[in-house]
Amino acid sequence: DAGITQSPRHKVTETGTPVTLRCHQTENHRYMYWYRQDPGHGLRLIHYSYGVKDTDKGEVSDGYSVSRSKTEDFLLTLESATSSQTSVYFCAISAGRVTDTQYFGPGTRLTVL
Amino acid sequence: GENVEQHPSTLSVQEGDSAVIKCTYSDSASNYFPWYKQELGKGPQLIIDIRSNVGEKKDQRIAVTLNKTAKHFSLHITETQPEDSAVYFCAASPYSGGGADGLTFGKGTHLIIQP
């Protein structure tokens, strides 16, 4: 998976608790992305980063925040998890802007009870 | 923003036959169109992509065609094999214009290869 790891791979949590998902890359790529995947919706962009401390919102950013303090790490935080955030979360990386190939990590399956 | 429609949602073909998956997009400014294959429990993997200055691209049994006038592009898999069974996603690069970056994906096609 192009030097991308995600942790944890599976998580079950309760409504109202904070959750942080981590994406780690060893490719030194500038761009990193968080997507969620739901049946009937495909992949939807949550947030992305175009450099250390540089982030922006995607299509479905409400209820999520991100941080990138190092090139290799991109964190996704659910401040107060809700059942609607039950999903599979994928991190992706690319060397350049959107017209460069995006490589995806293995995903994190999050269940919010 | 960009909208990508993908059809069919499920496609079943006999092993050895060809499979075609079609996508349409809405934003004429889109200029990059990748296809991803996702196997169960794994992340999407890029299998082929095409840029707007090319009408067709081929890689062994896989080909992609692009019609910018009609705003549609298609994935063609010939001589299908059992290992081609997976979910396939098309995507298009949106016209950002200061808005969200990233790729806009279709909803996926579950390809089933019947032995």
Side-chain angles (χ1 to χ4, degrees), chain A residues 24-44:
Chain A
H24 178 79
Q25 59 142 330
T26 58
E27 306 296 323
N28 200 36
H29 281 356
R30 179 180 176 187
Y31 288 81
M32 299 185 75
Y33 309 82
W34 277 107
Y35 291 88
R36 61 178 288 174
Q37 184 175 40
D38 305 288
H41 289 278
L43 287 146
R44 293 179 291 175

Side-chain angles (χ1 to χ4, degrees), chain A residues 2 4 25-33 49-51 68 71 92-104, chain B residues 32 36 46 51 101 103:
Chain A
I4 308 169
Q25 59 142 330
T26 58
E27 306 296 323
N28 200 36
H29 281 356
R30 179 180 176 187
Y31 288 81
M32 299 185 75
Y33 309 82
S49 169
Y50 46 96
R68 191 164 177 205
T71 298
I93 65 173
S94 66
R97 286 205 64 211
V98 69
T99 52
D100 285 338
T101 301
Q102 284 194 24
Y103 298 97
F104 284 79
Chain B
Y32 175 62
Y36 286 84
L46 181 75
R51 288 181 168 80
D101 211 339
L103 292 166

Side-chain angles (χ1 to χ4, degrees), chain A residues 21-80:
Chain A
L21 308 183
R22 180 181 182 237
C23 177
H24 178 79
Q25 59 142 330
T26 58
E27 306 296 323
N28 200 36
H29 281 356
R30 179 180 176 187
Y31 288 81
M32 299 185 75
Y33 309 82
W34 277 107
Y35 291 88
R36 61 178 288 174
Q37 184 175 40
D38 305 288
H41 289 278
L43 287 146
R44 293 179 291 175
L45 181 67
I46 305 172
H47 280 279
Y48 68 99
S49 169
Y50 46 96
V52 173
K53 298 191 190 307
D54 292 324
T55 65
D56 206 347
K57 296 179 179 180
E59 177 189 356
V60 291
S61 60
D62 287 349
Y64 302 94
S65 63
V66 290
S67 65
R68 191 164 177 205
S69 59
K70 298 185 290 185
T71 298
E72 57 266 35
D73 289 326
F74 193 30
L75 304 181
L76 177 70
T77 297
L78 291 65
E79 301 289 347
S80 178

Side-chain angles (χ1 to χ4, degrees), chain B residues 1 7 9 11 13 16 20 24 27-28 34 36 44 56 62-63 65 70 85-86 96 101 108 110 113:
Chain B
H7 299 280
S9 57
L11 178 61
V13 301
V20 180
T24 61
D27 191 342
S28 56
Y36 286 84
E56 183 174 357
I62 294 173
T65 58
S85 292
S96 60
D101 211 339
H110 184 195
I113 308 300

Side-chain angles (χ1 to χ4, degrees), chain B residues 20 23 37 49 65:
Chain B
V20 180
C23 289
K37 175 183 180 182
D49 57 12
T65 58

